[in-house]
Amino acid sequence: MEQQRSTSESSQSPRSPPSQRYLSVSVSDPVKLGNGVQGYISYRVITKTNFPEYQGSEKIVIRRYSDFVWLRDRLFDKYNGIFVPPLPEKSAVEKFRFSAEFIEIRRQALDAFVNRIASHNELQQSEDFRTFLQADEESMERLRSQETGIFKKKPADLMLMFKDVQSKVSDVVLGKEKPLEESNPEYEKLKHYVFELENHLTEAQKHAYYLLKRHRELGQSLSGIGKAAKLLGACEGQALGKAFDELGAKSETLSIKLQKEAHQLLMNLEEPVKDYVRAVQSIKVTIGERANAFRHQCELAETMKLKEINLDKLMLTRSDRVGEAEQEYKELKAESEEVTRRFETIVRRMNEEIVRFQEQKTQDMRIAFHEFAKGQARLAKSIADAWRSLLPKLEVCSDTS
């Protein structure tokens, strides 16, 4: 995932010329704190920047997963229409969530999360992002505990709510519901692209998982074969016994190589693809947000027509309720204009976001599959070379027997 980090003029290295703005963030040094269900992992978040609104050129804070969730939720609420970067899932199984592999996967995903925000022209300006990067731990804890409304929900509850929105959007796309919808060919094309992409990415991630599982199983089997060959070698004559011993050593060496390649598959292919599955789900939440804004806009427009008709009737009859009706109509009109502005902002941002997303996805997937191909070529060569080097020794033993 480190290779996936996008770059822009606003996220240059601290060594860049002073005239260039930079914002560099890293998530490192995971440490387990507490025990049992109360246990959690803390991370060191290091920020280096020359942005004048920050408190100095370098800041180091300690954050836990719930702090990242707080930031994600705040950005989603305040930046309608922007594809807020996804967070990795929270494992409820203790034996997995405190394993070294899981912790490293989580660390890389959190690092990618903050760097996507840092490289985004609008999100990097968020006051909540600055707070996240600079506030002390006590202040962050107070901010988390003070949230109300949507933010008072636990992360799991929030994700269930998001999934409910996604399900409703899916129903709309599949024609199961007929609510008020945009009749916009470009929007329909966008929805089709997003849902198809999710299917393809999910399929790719599933097969990447099967492949790394196969590598691990093959590695375990080779390790077993290696041990068995060494034991057999101890029962044979000197020449054959030595050959068997070498066969066992090669098998165990290849077992280690397969296990390492399985880990590389996990980090360089399965996790990047899974990260994009989460990113697409984040886009679907934004699609749901846009659909709700459109329906709200249409409902208010219809209510305004009815209010206008009622106001005309009251004015014709010179009713004493004219003043009250005029005020209601004025307030409704202001609300309608605000909702329309919100909807137009979502549309504008989504149009910009999908272009940026596609460009970044193309680059990241190219890197992921290039690393996959290199790893497989390297592994295949190692396996072929290892077995090839053994053949003459085994053939000599066969000739002498």
Side-chain angles (χ1 to χ4, degrees):
M1 288 188 189
E2 290 291 333
Q3 293 165 309
Q4 292 180 312
R5 189 176 299 175
S6 60
T7 58
S8 69
E9 288 187 3
S10 60
S11 59
Q12 299 292 323
S13 163
R15 297 177 182 176
S16 301
S19 59
Q20 292 183 310
R21 286 162 56 89
Y22 66 83
L23 177 58
S24 170
V25 187
S26 64
V27 178
S28 62
D29 303 326
V31 176
K32 181 186 175 186
L33 300 171
N35 296 305
V37 293
Q38 300 298 322
Y40 65 93
I41 305 296
S42 72
Y43 304 88
R44 186 187 300 268
V45 179
I46 305 172
T47 304
K48 296 181 181 181
T49 184
N50 63 358
F51 283 18
E53 57 268 34
Y54 278 74
Q55 304 165 1
S57 60
E58 181 171 336
K59 182 73 174 179
I60 300 175
V61 295
I62 303 300
R63 294 290 178 258
R64 54 188 296 183
Y65 180 77
S66 54
D67 295 322
F68 291 85
V69 172
W70 173 87
L71 175 61
R72 189 274 316 274
D73 295 347
R74 299 291 292 179
L75 294 176
F76 179 80
D77 182 61
K78 293 184 178 181
Y79 289 87
N80 303 142
I82 285 180
F83 302 158
V84 176
L87 281 173
E89 300 86 355
K90 183 170 184 177
S91 175
V93 183
E94 186 171 354
K95 69 175 181 178
F96 293 127
R97 71 189 180 109
F98 291 133
S99 70
E101 185 173 79
F102 176 83
I103 290 171
E104 177 56 18
I105 290 171
R106 164 75 56 87
R107 185 203 64 76
Q108 288 197 25
L110 294 177
D111 188 88
F113 169 74
V114 292
N115 275 282
R116 282 172 176 160
I117 297 171
S119 63
H120 193 287
N121 289 336
E122 288 193 67
L123 297 182
Q124 67 174 207
Q125 300 172 37
S126 163
E127 183 179 343
D128 293 312
F129 188 41
R130 289 200 301 275
T131 298
F132 172 85
L133 295 177
Q134 298 183 113
D136 58 59
E137 289 71 59
E138 289 183 4
S139 297
M140 279 303 305
E141 187 174 355
R142 282 198 301 272
L143 285 169
R144 290 198 316 270
S145 63
Q146 288 170 0
E147 297 297 355
T148 57
I150 184 174
F151 299 113
K152 195 140 189 178
K153 292 178 178 289
K154 295 179 181 179
D157 297 332
L158 191 60
M159 290 312 297
L160 284 174
M161 185 189 72
F162 285 173
K163 287 177 181 177
D164 182 56
V165 172
Q166 292 173 24
S167 175
K168 289 179 181 176
V169 176
S170 300
D171 289 344
V172 169
V173 173
L174 297 173
K176 294 180 182 177
E177 292 184 6
K178 296 294 180 183
L180 291 168
E181 274 193 88
E182 290 181 67
S183 56
N184 183 326
E186 286 301 313
Y187 180 48
E188 290 300 319
K189 184 179 177 181
L190 168 63
K191 288 193 292 185
H192 179 76
Y193 165 77
V194 168
F195 280 80
E196 284 293 300
L197 179 62
E198 182 181 34
N199 290 336
H200 298 326
L201 286 169
T202 301
E203 190 72 8
Q205 188 232 320
K206 179 179 72 174
H207 289 291
Y209 168 75
Y210 289 154
L211 184 58
L212 77 87
K213 183 181 177 185
R214 182 183 173 189
H215 277 23
R216 283 175 171 164
E217 289 172 346
L218 181 56
Q220 290 168 357
S221 297
L222 273 175
S223 177
I225 285 287
K227 290 182 175 66
K230 286 181 176 181
L231 291 172
L232 282 170
C235 301
E236 300 293 340
Q238 186 174 2
L240 188 58
K242 185 176 180 182
F244 275 17
D245 193 59
E246 288 192 32
L247 174 62
K250 289 288 184 184
S251 297
E252 290 176 345
T253 298
L254 289 176
S255 170
I256 294 170
K257 286 183 180 295
L258 278 161
Q259 297 293 350
K260 286 182 177 178
E261 188 56 40
H263 181 73
Q264 290 302 312
L265 268 173
L266 174 66
M267 305 307 291
N268 295 332
L269 183 62
E270 194 207 354
E271 277 303 314
V273 172
K274 185 190 289 186
D275 188 53
Y276 265 94
V277 172
R278 293 191 291 258
V280 170
Q281 290 169 351
S282 179
I283 295 173
K284 287 171 67 178
V285 172
T286 307
I287 289 175
E289 181 185 36
R290 174 170 171 167
N292 287 335
F294 179 78
R295 287 195 287 272
H296 193 190
Q297 177 186 241
C298 293
E299 289 164 359
L300 283 175
E302 190 64 30
T303 304
M304 277 186 63
K305 286 180 184 178
L306 296 174
K307 289 283 186 183
E308 191 171 357
I309 291 170
N310 182 56
L311 179 59
D312 288 343
K313 287 180 181 178
L314 291 173
M315 291 179 71
L316 284 172
T317 59
R318 298 183 180 181
S319 169
D320 56 1
R321 291 192 62 250
V322 169
E324 181 184 342
E326 283 181 334
Q327 182 61 29
E328 288 178 358
Y329 180 78
K330 184 179 178 181
E331 291 173 357
L332 188 63
K333 184 178 180 181
E335 182 183 356
S336 178
E337 289 172 350
E338 177 59 32
V339 168
T340 298
R341 279 194 296 271
R342 178 174 177 268
F343 172 72
E344 290 172 349
T345 297
I346 291 174
V347 172
R348 175 182 59 78
R349 282 175 166 170
M350 283 187 70
N351 290 338
E352 295 169 355
E353 288 287 286
I354 196 62
V355 173
R356 185 184 60 82
F357 170 80
Q358 288 174 317
E359 290 175 351
Q360 191 63 51
K361 174 185 64 66
T362 299
Q363 178 183 340
D364 291 343
M365 289 298 100
R366 179 189 61 78
I367 291 172
F369 281 98
H370 183 248
E371 288 299 311
F372 164 67
K374 281 201 308 183
Q376 293 301 294
R378 184 172 57 244
L379 179 64
K381 184 177 184 305
S382 295
I383 292 174
D385 289 346
W387 294 135
R388 192 179 294 115
S389 69
L390 272 175
L391 290 177
K393 298 173 183 178
L394 291 171
E395 286 167 358
V396 167
C397 293
S398 177
D399 292 340
T400 58
S401 60

